[in-house]
Amino acid sequence: DSTRNGFSFKGIKDYLECYRSGKLTPFRVAKNIVAMLEDCDKSTPPLRAIVQWDREQIMLMAEASTTRYRNKCTLSYLDGIPVCLKEEFKVVPYHHRVGTVYLGTEPETEDATVAKKLREAGAIIIGVSNMHELGTGTTGCNPNRYHKIPRNPYKPNHFTGGSSSGSAAAVAAGLCPVAIGTDGGGSVRIPSSFCGVVGLKGTFGRISGHGSLPLSYSTVSVGPICTSVADAAIVYSILAEPDPLYPYGLKQPKATLSDMCAPDLKGLKLGVDWTFFKACDAEVLSICEKAVEHLKSLGASVVEVTLPELEEARVAHVICILSEMRDFLKPDFNKHFQEMNLDTRANLALASQFTALDYITANRQRTRTMRFLREIFSTVNCILTPAIPCTAPRIYESDLLTGSSDMSFTVRSMRFMQLGNFTGIPGLVVPIGYSTAGLPINLQVMAKWWDEAVLLRIGLKLEQFRYQTKKPSIYYDILA
């Protein structure tokens, strides 16, 4: 718990206090949410964070939760907490469109594992959130008729980042304190950073991806987007466990939150490759360097490390993720090419130029990079980088009609993200401040496989660095 001056986002704790004191019921909160969802669809420009929702479904879950609070038999810390899931997940009774106009023609009849677990925890699923079409980009720009472009709650004429665009926008705009995204090239961490919230990409396989479209089977991890590190820890502890339907995470060690609330960071070694760290805008660098100093002041030591073959790893990651997506989407590419957004077509066309030899070589590079990381993590507990080298880019009029395809931006926005996707290590992004234009800036912490606990421990301390939280220009106070 941290006391703040001025604005602070409403998190899980605030909801629980309202419910336990009887000040509000989940039913009342759900009514507020429905009113806000109607409002943000009508606003100019529309927020477009939640792209499918159903009043009856929301009210049913809220009613059941209200009864549980009345009878003092709640299911978990998420009971009555509003959540949304990226449209990449199957959620009953919504259409599993994955950001397209041609998938999910019928409503879903079966939940993805994470949706099922959230229901079992008593959460109120408020709908499915917008995403970059088929997860193929990092802006969140999706001009098709079902989706449109989600707006950054801090600056509505700027992008949210992608591909879990609507998830981050919904959390930053106060529609729900928890959202679930997927991350194959920064897709949880980029929008979280552009929208000034917390994003956790679990270790590859840690949280079940069963029931999400398997776009890239070797790079994608699932993770929560929340208003605070404590909330991310709660969601992580509920979702992180082996799932018999998801083979990649079966052998995982038990998820713990050990030492998460330690009073300081004494004994922790934070690895920084300064050449890599400094490859960002001056404004981003200056605030990130100060945040590292803050962690040092809490007893951690900063150790200079060298991350070898970063350029090779970056290219290899692109080859792996695009080849796997191209392979999986081959029928779509052949049959629905005309219905895809222009940037999706361009990315998949680029992907078709890679050869089997490229893919094999890229995977050999993965083995090398994982070995380098294993050595580095034998000397440090984590690796620190800025989250993204820049702040959220502007939305132009043409983007609304034809979409946006800027390869140099895509490559740049993924710079600090790809290592985590390529090797499967977990990463956490935490808001640490703002640019002079008022756009959020986050720092990233990465740790060795299955060591999310150390990320959360450092993340809690990192949150104390930002002396003031600015209120987004689009913000709904559901508990007011």
Side-chain angles (χ1 to χ4, degrees), residues 241-461:
E241 65 176 3
D243 172 12
L245 299 170
Y246 189 67
Y248 302 123
L250 288 177
K251 294 264 196 289
Q252 62 177 280
K254 194 166 168 46
T256 71
L257 301 176
S258 59
D259 290 337
M260 181 178 152
C261 298
D264 53 41
L265 297 176
K266 285 196 181 99
L268 286 186
K269 293 185 175 130
L270 318 176
V272 180
D273 179 329
W274 285 110
T275 312
F276 186 45
F277 192 99
K278 289 176 176 171
C280 60
D281 291 356
E283 216 172 7
V284 172
L285 178 61
S286 137
I287 203 157
C288 287
E289 285 179 327
K290 290 190 186 101
V292 174
E293 285 305 312
H294 164 74
L295 296 176
K296 254 173 91 171
S297 74
L298 292 165
S301 54
V302 173
V303 178
E304 208 164 321
V305 296
T306 304
L307 295 165
E309 299 181 10
L310 278 169
E311 188 56 22
E312 289 83 345
R314 192 181 68 71
V315 173
H317 165 263
V318 170
I319 291 169
C320 286
I321 189 169
L322 281 180
S323 298
E324 289 169 8
M325 289 175 96
R326 182 71 176 85
D327 168 50
F328 179 72
L329 294 168
K330 192 176 173 185
D332 303 51
F333 192 71
N334 294 340
K335 208 163 132 199
H336 298 285
F337 183 79
Q338 294 305 330
E339 295 163 273
M340 290 175 172
N341 290 337
L342 294 171
D343 70 314
T344 308
R345 295 184 212 176
N347 283 321
L348 292 175
L350 167 70
S352 63
Q353 301 305 303
F354 298 133
T355 64
L357 192 60
D358 293 330
Y359 186 68
I360 291 165
T361 310
N363 275 295
R364 286 189 177 141
Q365 180 63 45
R366 192 192 319 245
T367 308
R368 283 177 69 82
T369 306
M370 287 171 83
R371 195 174 70 233
F372 297 142
L373 283 180
R374 205 165 275 127
E375 285 164 20
I376 289 167
F377 285 127
S378 68
T379 59
V380 297
N381 299 90
C382 71
I383 295 167
L384 302 178
T385 69
I388 314 181
C390 56
T391 52
R394 252 198 86 109
I395 297 172
Y396 292 97
E397 278 303 303
S398 62
D399 300 335
L400 304 173
L401 301 168
T402 52
S404 159
S405 184
D406 180 344
M407 278 299 184
S408 65
F409 169 76
T410 306
V411 167
R412 196 156 178 250
S413 62
M414 285 164 50
R415 177 176 294 151
F416 300 117
M417 302 282 141
Q418 292 172 279
L419 193 61
N421 295 113
F422 189 47
T423 61
I425 58 172
L428 177 75
V429 295
V430 180
I432 53 169
Y434 307 90
S435 68
T436 44
L439 286 160
I441 293 170
N442 283 29
L443 187 82
Q444 175 173 241
V445 195
M446 292 180 283
K448 69 176 184 289
W449 300 271
W450 316 114
D451 198 5
E452 287 86 350
V454 79
L455 297 183
L456 296 162
R457 176 181 171 185
I458 295 164
L460 277 180
K461 296 291 180 268

Side-chain angles (χ1 to χ4, degrees), residues 80-367:
I81 304 297
V83 304
C84 70
L85 291 97
K86 183 179 185 176
E87 202 182 55
E88 200 170 317
F89 293 99
K90 294 179 176 182
V91 183
V92 179
Y94 303 109
H95 295 268
H96 189 215
R97 290 192 179 119
V98 200
T100 69
V101 293
Y102 65 85
L103 285 173
T105 49
E106 296 296 318
E108 273 311 308
T109 53
E110 206 178 319
D111 277 329
T113 298
V114 281
K116 191 162 153 279
K117 287 181 88 88
L118 289 167
R119 281 191 214 275
E120 287 165 358
I124 301 171
I125 296 173
I126 67 166
V128 292
S129 47
N130 207 340
M131 64 177 284
H132 203 107
E133 186 179 59
L134 295 167
T136 54
T138 61
T139 55
C141 181
N142 189 350
N144 74 41
R145 66 179 182 273
Y146 286 139
H147 297 87
K148 301 286 176 245
I149 296 177
R151 302 296 179 143
N152 191 318
Y154 274 95
K155 285 213 168 219
N157 59 344
H158 286 249
F159 283 119
T160 54
S163 64
S164 309
S165 49
S167 297
V171 170
L175 290 172
C176 51
V178 174
I180 308 296
T182 58
D183 189 315
S187 288
V188 158
R189 293 162 294 156
I190 292 171
S192 298
S193 305
F194 280 163
C195 293
V197 290
V198 172
L200 172 65
K201 177 196 98 69
T203 303
F204 177 74
R206 177 63 106 177
I207 297 173
S208 173
H210 174 75
S212 68
L213 201 70
L215 292 163
S216 162
Y217 43 82
S218 76
T219 65
V220 176
S221 296
V222 177
I225 295 173
C226 300
T227 52
S228 71
V229 173
D231 286 5
I234 289 171
V235 181
Y236 164 75
S237 64
I238 286 172
L239 296 181
E241 65 176 3
D243 172 12
L245 299 170
Y246 189 67
Y248 302 123
L250 288 177
K251 294 264 196 289
Q252 62 177 280
K254 194 166 168 46
T256 71
L257 301 176
S258 59
D259 290 337
M260 181 178 152
C261 298
D264 53 41
L265 297 176
K266 285 196 181 99
L268 286 186
K269 293 185 175 130
L270 318 176
V272 180
D273 179 329
W274 285 110
T275 312
F276 186 45
F277 192 99
K278 289 176 176 171
C280 60
D281 291 356
E283 216 172 7
V284 172
L285 178 61
S286 137
I287 203 157
C288 287
E289 285 179 327
K290 290 190 186 101
V292 174
E293 285 305 312
H294 164 74
L295 296 176
K296 254 173 91 171
S297 74
L298 292 165
S301 54
V302 173
V303 178
E304 208 164 321
V305 296
T306 304
L307 295 165
E309 299 181 10
L310 278 169
E311 188 56 22
E312 289 83 345
R314 192 181 68 71
V315 173
H317 165 263
V318 170
I319 291 169
C320 286
I321 189 169
L322 281 180
S323 298
E324 289 169 8
M325 289 175 96
R326 182 71 176 85
D327 168 50
F328 179 72
L329 294 168
K330 192 176 173 185
D332 303 51
F333 192 71
N334 294 340
K335 208 163 132 199
H336 298 285
F337 183 79
Q338 294 305 330
E339 295 163 273
M340 290 175 172
N341 290 337
L342 294 171
D343 70 314
T344 308
R345 295 184 212 176
N347 283 321
L348 292 175
L350 167 70
S352 63
Q353 301 305 303
F354 298 133
T355 64
L357 192 60
D358 293 330
Y359 186 68
I360 291 165
T361 310
N363 275 295
R364 286 189 177 141
Q365 180 63 45
R366 192 192 319 245
T367 308

